[in-house]
Amino acid sequence: MPLLSRSPPSASPTGSMLPNTGKLNGCTLFITGASRGIGKAIALKAAKDGANIVIAAKTTQVHPKLPGTIYTAAEEIEAVGGKALPCVVDVRDEQQINDAVEKAVQKFGGIDILVNNASAISLTNTLETPTKKVDLMMSVNTRGTYLTSKACIPYLKKSKIGHILNLSPPLNLNPIWFKQHCAYTIAKYGMSMCVLGMAEEFKGEIAVNALWPKTAIHTAAMDMLGGSGVESQCRKADIIADAAYSIFSKPKSFTGNFIIDENLLKEEGIKNFDVYAVKPGHPLIPDFFVDENPEMVTKEVEKQQGEDGGTWYLDLKNNGGNAGSGQPSEPVDVVMTMTTSDFVKMFSGKLKPTMAFMSGKLKIKGNMALAIKLEKLMNQMNSKL
């Protein structure tokens, strides 16, 4: 499976429900991975107050599949009323981090808020995760968050606002979240453990919190996993931007929290969440690391693992095609593993393949692109049944 940055396609926030109050006017935000997606959405929300935004990201030239650079993001930020400082920063490089922090202080006089948004993801199991991918996730997610925080903390301590916000999940030790992608989970939880430690270390000086979505956010990673149409099951980055804005408005005593976006916004009085949906009315995919009832989830997984429908093959490539039980005579491109009951649900249209994959009910080995094509074919079949 490809290794992807967890950032949505470039888009300006258009579905905000939380009004801007002007509280961040003149404040300086240092945001990693802010050239597009979630990072840029948070930047634009703050910029509407008249905030200063340090865009700490790698992209200086347009990517063929990921539109947006630190310079185009800067133009958008200034267009809505903010001030921007685009800085070329790979969070794996401590010198680049320190240089950007120094430039930010020289230009804006200090740093009030740090958003650790930069992240890398590879949803592969232990034996299928190359060392270079393990190193990248650990270096970007955990180490990058730690080093960026370390560089900004001396200035955050001087700020009246003084916030660090990590885009990382609650520390949910349900084994289901480790089983399918252990390296990624460890790397993301490293960011969350920074929250746990730094919130206590700098209590009274800096507020340190984590923010995580309840449902999937429309991202480049989601597009790759789910293929065309997956966005209908996702929310826009606006919900994260609104939740982050709410956190920044809170005092330094609000610290050490692992916040779920929807829960916080409900406390803010927001009742209509359809505005955040890419396609209102469609069922939403729950995000990783969030389960309403961990014991129930674990029991259900154990129950499903006890079922065995044997081995079947589906040949859509050779001659006129073929299907049957047992091992196929031709080499296979994709191997899918799941329980009999979930298999029936998926092929009858009751269980979305993307949902099955993200929840661990469906395991995929081999050519992910072909697996995505199979989902599209299944959708066509279901529409004719």
Side-chain angles (χ1 to χ4, degrees):
M1 185 176 300
L3 186 70
L4 299 164
S5 172
R6 191 184 177 87
S7 295
S10 181
S12 299
T14 56
S16 174
M17 285 290 290
L18 197 67
N20 281 69
T21 62
K23 289 183 178 179
L24 299 183
N25 182 40
C27 294
T28 299
L29 287 76
F30 191 103
I31 307 178
T32 65
S35 59
R36 62 175 68 95
I38 290 174
K40 192 180 76 172
I42 293 173
L44 290 172
K45 180 71 175 178
K48 290 178 180 178
D49 269 5
N52 309 315
I53 310 296
V54 183
I55 307 162
K58 295 189 302 178
T59 309
T60 57
Q61 296 182 345
V62 177
H63 188 282
K65 295 184 179 180
L66 300 172
T69 69
I70 58 175
Y71 306 114
T72 58
E75 292 174 358
E76 292 183 53
I77 286 165
E78 293 183 346
V80 297
K83 294 181 180 179
L85 176 62
C87 295
V88 179
V89 176
D90 181 338
V91 295
R92 293 173 292 177
D93 189 323
E94 186 175 16
Q95 191 59 52
Q96 288 186 15
I97 296 170
N98 292 337
D99 289 346
V101 169
E102 184 177 341
K103 290 178 182 177
V105 174
Q106 288 177 352
K107 184 174 179 66
F108 298 124
I111 297 173
D112 299 290
I113 297 169
L114 167 63
V115 180
N116 286 306
N117 168 68
S119 188
I121 178 173
S122 183
L123 299 178
T124 45
N125 63 36
T126 300
L127 297 180
E128 294 179 345
T129 309
T131 301
K132 66 178 182 179
K133 292 187 178 181
V134 176
D135 290 343
L136 179 59
M137 287 188 285
M138 299 300 175
S139 297
V140 172
N141 300 1
T142 301
R143 184 175 180 272
T145 293
Y146 185 91
L147 292 180
T148 307
S149 300
K150 181 181 178 182
C152 291
I153 282 170
Y155 303 101
L156 293 170
K157 290 172 72 173
K158 298 176 183 179
S159 170
K160 293 181 180 180
I161 297 176
H163 273 267
I164 295 176
L165 181 64
N166 294 353
L167 273 296
S168 64
L171 291 167
N172 184 346
L173 297 184
N174 186 339
I176 192 174
W177 301 121
F178 291 82
K179 182 179 179 181
Q180 307 297 336
H181 37 75
C182 188
Y184 172 63
T185 299
I186 292 171
K188 289 304 291 186
Y189 278 13
M191 296 175 70
S192 299
M193 293 176 78
C194 285
V195 170
L196 198 65
M198 293 179 186
E200 191 68 21
E201 183 176 359
F202 301 105
K203 184 176 290 186
E205 297 179 292
I206 304 170
V208 187
N209 297 287
L211 175 62
W212 195 248
K214 182 174 182 178
T215 71
I217 304 297
H218 184 211
T219 66
M222 285 302 300
D223 280 337
M224 182 62 70
L225 292 174
S228 176
V230 71
E231 68 273 7
S232 65
Q233 302 171 70
C234 301
R235 282 175 172 164
K236 294 174 285 189
D238 306 290
I239 190 169
I240 295 289
D242 278 3
Y245 187 83
S246 171
I247 293 168
F248 301 151
S249 302
K250 297 183 182 299
K252 292 182 180 181
S253 57
F254 185 80
T255 189
N257 300 290
F258 293 90
I259 301 151
I260 301 300
D261 57 356
E262 182 179 309
N263 297 346
L264 178 63
L265 292 176
K266 283 181 178 178
E267 294 178 4
E268 291 281 0
I270 294 176
K271 298 178 181 179
N272 178 19
F273 287 85
D274 283 345
V275 69
Y276 295 118
V278 175
K279 292 188 178 180
H282 285 251
L284 298 169
I285 302 172
D287 210 327
F288 293 120
F289 311 115
V290 179
D291 48 59
E292 299 295 334
N293 190 333
E295 292 183 2
M296 185 65 69
V297 172
T298 303
K299 288 179 180 178
E300 183 66 19
V301 171
E302 291 174 349
K303 174 185 175 183
Q304 292 168 352
Q305 289 172 344
E307 303 173 9
D308 183 9
T311 301
W312 293 77
Y313 67 88
L314 178 64
D315 186 348
L316 301 176
K317 181 170 68 174
N318 298 296
N319 300 319
N322 193 16
S325 62
Q327 296 294 333
S329 58
E330 301 287 341
V332 298
D333 296 302
V334 181
V335 176
M336 298 183 179
T337 306
M338 64 191 313
T339 66
T340 301
S341 61
D342 286 332
F343 177 84
V344 173
K345 290 178 184 177
M346 193 169 75
F347 271 85
S348 64
K350 296 179 180 179
L351 175 64
K352 292 282 186 180
T354 305
M355 174 76 81
F357 179 80
M358 290 190 66
S359 64
K361 294 179 179 180
L362 170 63
K363 302 175 187 176
I364 301 177
K365 295 182 180 180
N367 191 324
M368 182 59 65
L370 290 179
I372 293 172
K373 287 183 180 180
L374 180 59
E375 178 180 357
K376 293 179 181 178
L377 179 61
M378 288 166 53
N379 289 335
Q380 293 174 3
M381 292 171 60
N382 287 331
S383 66
K384 296 179 180 179
L385 292 177

